[in-house]
Amino acid sequence: MTTDIRQQIVALGASLFARRLTFGRTGNISVRDGRQILLTPTGASLGALDPQHLSVIDLAGDHVAGPAPSKEAFLHAAAYRSRPSAGAVVHLHSTYSVAVSCLADVDPSNVLPPLTAYYVMRVGRLPLLPYHAPGDAGLRALAEEVARDHHAFLLANHGPVVAGGDLAAAADAVEELEETARLFLLLAGHRTRPLTPQQVEDLTARTHRPLAMPSKGTPR
C-alpha cells in the first residue's frame, strides 16, 4: 500500500476524532488494494494513528502483516467480498447513529426515513442488524448478506458501517448518515415531511447514472 493511502487513513481518522464522530479507542477505517485490505489496528485511537503501524488483512479477514487488526476486521472483509466496487469502509460509534440504533420501534429493514436528498443519494436504505457483542464473528454471514444490497448498515446498540468507492465517498456517506440520525432525533414528536416515494425513486435513478457521483462524493 502506498504512503499516500496510509496518510489518507491517518488524516481521516484525525478529522473524525477531532469532530467527535468517534471517540476513545473506537471505530475503524479500511482501504482495499486488490486482494489486500489496509485497516486500523486493534486498540488504536483514530485520533492518533501511525501510518507505518496499520494492519493488513486479506479478503477472508485473515491477518497478513503489520500489527493485529481491529477485532471488527471481519465486517470490513465481509463488505468487500459482497461489494467488489467498494474501495473503503468506515465504521464509527458516532453518537446520533448509535442513539438511533438503540431505539425500540424503528423499522429494521430501513431505519431512517428519507429526510433529505443527500441522505437518499449518499446512503439510501439503511438496514438494522441485530445486536451482537463487538467482535462476535456470528455477525459475519449476516453482514455479508446485507452488504450485497446495501452499502451502509447499522449495528444495533453499536454503530454504522459504510462502504464507498473510495475513502472520501465512504466518509461523505457516514457523515451524511450521522447528520440524518441527528435530524431524525431532533424531529422526534414533530410532524415531518419526508421525501415522497417518487422523489426517492428519481434521486436514486439520478445517483446511479454514469458520472452522477464523482469519486469524492456528490458536491453540495
Side-chain angles (χ1 to χ4, degrees):
M1 294 272 183
T2 68
T3 299
D4 181 58
I5 291 174
R6 290 173 176 269
Q7 293 288 0
Q8 288 177 35
I9 291 173
V10 170
L12 177 60
S15 174
L16 294 170
F17 187 88
R19 290 178 290 144
R20 291 195 58 78
L21 287 166
T22 202
F23 47 87
R25 297 178 186 272
T26 66
N28 28 80
I29 301 169
S30 69
V31 172
R32 176 165 63 179
D33 183 14
R35 298 191 62 82
Q36 291 195 330
I37 301 161
L38 192 64
L39 176 71
T40 50
T42 188
S45 165
L46 294 192
L49 296 172
D50 182 338
Q52 299 309 313
H53 290 83
L54 298 176
S55 181
V56 180
I57 62 172
D58 61 22
L59 285 174
D62 296 326
H63 186 201
V64 173
S70 163
K71 61 179 170 289
E72 289 160 339
F74 69 90
L75 286 173
H76 294 252
Y80 291 122
R81 288 194 302 272
S82 291
R83 306 192 68 80
S85 63
V89 173
V90 178
H91 164 52
L92 298 179
H93 293 189
S94 43
T95 300
Y96 295 102
S97 297
V98 174
V100 169
S101 83
C102 297
L103 295 176
D105 297 321
V106 293
D107 178 358
S109 70
N110 191 20
V111 183
L112 291 172
L115 292 174
T116 69
Y118 281 93
Y119 177 76
V120 172
M121 291 190 290
R122 289 180 173 163
V123 179
R125 297 181 66 84
L126 181 69
L128 178 70
L129 275 60
Y131 174 77
H132 288 68
D136 182 350
L139 189 55
R140 184 195 313 263
L142 182 56
E144 188 166 354
E145 178 184 353
V146 168
R148 291 190 187 105
D149 298 316
H150 305 85
H151 74 97
F153 52 88
L154 191 59
L155 306 176
N157 304 82
H158 189 158
V161 178
V162 178
D166 58 19
L167 197 55
D172 284 346
V174 79
E175 291 181 44
E176 197 72 45
L177 193 164
E178 175 68 359
E179 285 305 305
T180 304
R182 183 177 181 226
L183 285 173
F184 178 73
L185 294 168
L186 285 170
L187 291 168
H190 297 275
R191 293 183 62 194
T192 60
R193 188 183 61 254
L195 301 184
T196 67
Q198 184 61 56
Q199 289 169 331
V200 169
E201 183 178 338
D202 291 345
L203 286 167
T204 302
R206 175 183 173 187
T207 301
H208 288 93
R209 287 177 195 150
L211 304 182
M213 289 187 71
S215 63
K216 292 191 176 180
T218 303
R220 288 183 181 274

